[in-house]
Structures are given as C-alpha cells and as structure tokens.
Amino acid sequence: MTGKREIIAVADSDTLARTAAERLLARIVQGGERPAIALTGGSSPEGLYRLLAQEPYRSRVPWERVHWFIGDDRFVPPDDRLSNMGMARRLFLDRVNAPAANIHPMATTVASPQTAARLYETELKSFYGADRLDRARPMFDLVLMGLGSDGHTASLFPGAPALEEKEHWVVGVDKAHLAPFVPRVTLTFPALASTREMLFLVSGEDKRDILARVLAGEDLPAARAASDGGLVWLVDRAAFAGRNAA
Ligand code: 6PG
C-alpha cells in the first residue's frame, strides 16, 4: 500500500536537522538486526549528517548494525568534492565507528554509469536477499530525498526516461538536467519506494516556488515519488510559505 503524504513544517534548518535525526534514530530502533538507510546528496541533508557525528546522536546510533546506502550519486571518483557518498563520509561516516562493510557506495570508477548501475543493483539484491521487491518487506528502513529547483529528486530529472523505469532498481543517467553537469547513477522509483519511510528534506527560501508546485500536485519527478511505507515532507519555514511552522 502506498503511504499518504505527511507534511512536517519546522521553524528553521537547525530544527529540520534535529527532527530528521530523531526520525532516523526511530527508524533504526524499529529496523531490527540490520537497519538500512538510503542517504541523499545536495545541501539539505548536510545539517543532519553533521549532527550524526556529534553527541548525543553519535552515541545513540548502533553503528555496528546500520547499513548506509546512497539513493543517487554523481559519476565522479569517491574523493571528488561532488561525490554524494564522499560528502556523507566527510560529514559523518568517517568520523564515527561505522564498519567499512556497512557503507555501500556506488562504484563510480568503472567504465560507465550503466555499469555502475548494474553493480549497485546486484549489491542491493544481495543485501535484500531477493531479485524482486516485495511491498510487504521493504528494502530500506529510511530513504532520504532532496528536491531540486527543477523538481528533480535523486537523479530523476524532468522528462528523463529513468522516470518510467519499472524493472531496474538502479540506472545510469548520462546527462544531468541541472548543475553539476556530470553523469549520475540513481535508484529508480520502484527501488526508492521500497522503504518503511521516505523522508524529503527541503530547506531554504530558494526552494519555496518549486516546493509549492510539487505540493500542488504538478507532474514533477519529486511529486511522483511514492513509498510503500510513510511519505514525509520535512520542510522549514523559509521553504514552506503560507503556513506557521512549529
Ligand atoms: C544530487 C542530489 C539531488 C539533491 C537535490 C537537492 O546528487 O544532486 O541527490 O537529488 O537532493 O538536487 O539538492 P540541494 O539540497 O542541494 O538543493
């Protein structure tokens, strides 16, 4: 069953980061022996990632059990400043006791984004333990998502064939619609949907127009994103015009 969208509006980006950290922890606690989180890139999750490396969160996360994936990445070497997993590593994963085997980056130094996509799909299937997604048994406990100014999410850009992908869990994207203009590798909607909770993080005034369009139901990639579990839009007051935030 596809979850109903919930909007949580908070005062500012600090509250957004703390609220996201609490939701992430709650999902980890409910996630059994091997909780799986799909991280995202962009600037919106940076505050959350920094918090996870600091107390009290650092001590509250059972690092030895949690597995960290990435919902999309730029096809650049892992130490490139543009790498999404590279950012997550710099901000928290390299600063805590996360076992290397629990961190699942995309292989971005292989021949092509398509090869990277096939490899990541194989890795996801092996972690999940099946070749087909079962809606009653989500792959992830939490999938983090961002919102681009053109309405993209993950690396699913407006008008791209990747939006229609129903079979593959991961695809290569040769051309980005928005800077940085480097090829991407992205999970598809069916794979992203296989989660107990999908959590969009949207912060800042420059997101106000596009957020209003998405929430009004315009046919944009971010508005198409569905979840087999909860679907939560965590937004701050700067991004979410017209309603008072807590
Ligand atoms: C990427 C991201 C992308 C991001 C949005 C929002 O690789 O660029 O995964 O989907 O989440 O573009 O980015 P900002 O938070 O920087 O606006």
Side-chain angles (χ1 to χ4, degrees), residues 40-45 72 74 84 146-148 152-155 184 207:
T40 184
S43 55
S44 304
D72 75 305
R74 289 86 179 263
N84 287 342
L147 172 64
H152 81 263
T153 190
S155 286
R184 316 289 184 98
K207 294 292 165 67

Side-chain angles (χ1 to χ4, degrees), residues 26 93 117 120 191 211 225:
L93 290 171
Y120 209 56
L211 179 62

Side-chain angles (χ1 to χ4, degrees), residues 211-243:
L211 179 62
R213 287 169 59 193
V214 168
L215 297 182
E218 200 174 311
D219 185 17
L220 291 161
R224 288 200 198 181
S227 164
D228 291 341
L231 174 58
V232 180
W233 282 75
L234 178 58
V235 300
D236 70 6
R237 189 184 284 154
F240 190 57
R243 209 185 286 185

Side-chain angles (χ1 to χ4, degrees), residues 64-188:
E64 70 291 348
R65 289 199 290 115
V66 186
H67 285 256
W68 306 94
F69 294 86
I70 191 90
D72 75 305
D73 216 331
R74 289 86 179 263
F75 194 66
V76 295
D79 55 355
D80 191 296
R81 299 296 296 178
L82 292 177
S83 165
N84 287 342
M85 192 54 118
M87 174 186 76
R89 282 188 191 276
R90 277 193 302 281
L91 295 184
F92 79 104
L93 290 171
D94 285 350
R95 297 168 182 262
V96 297
N97 289 326
N102 292 15
I103 302 172
H104 304 265
M106 289 170 169
T108 50
T109 52
V110 294
S112 68
Q114 288 71 24
T115 306
R118 294 290 69 75
L119 288 169
Y120 209 56
E121 187 165 308
T122 302
E123 182 163 352
L124 286 174
K125 287 180 174 174
S126 151
F127 182 84
Y128 184 61
D131 281 350
R132 312 286 310 171
L133 291 166
D134 174 358
R135 299 184 90 176
R137 186 173 73 83
M139 175 159 55
F140 298 113
D141 292 286
L142 183 74
V143 168
L144 295 173
M145 299 280 260
L147 172 64
S149 58
D150 58 352
H152 81 263
T153 190
S155 286
L156 297 162
F157 295 99
L163 298 181
E164 311 303 332
E165 182 59 52
K166 301 280 186 291
E167 288 303 314
H168 281 300
W169 298 11
V170 191
V171 295
V173 176
D174 287 327
K175 276 201 169 61
H177 191 250
L178 210 67
F181 294 101
V182 289
R184 316 289 184 98
V185 184
T186 187
L187 268 63
T188 57

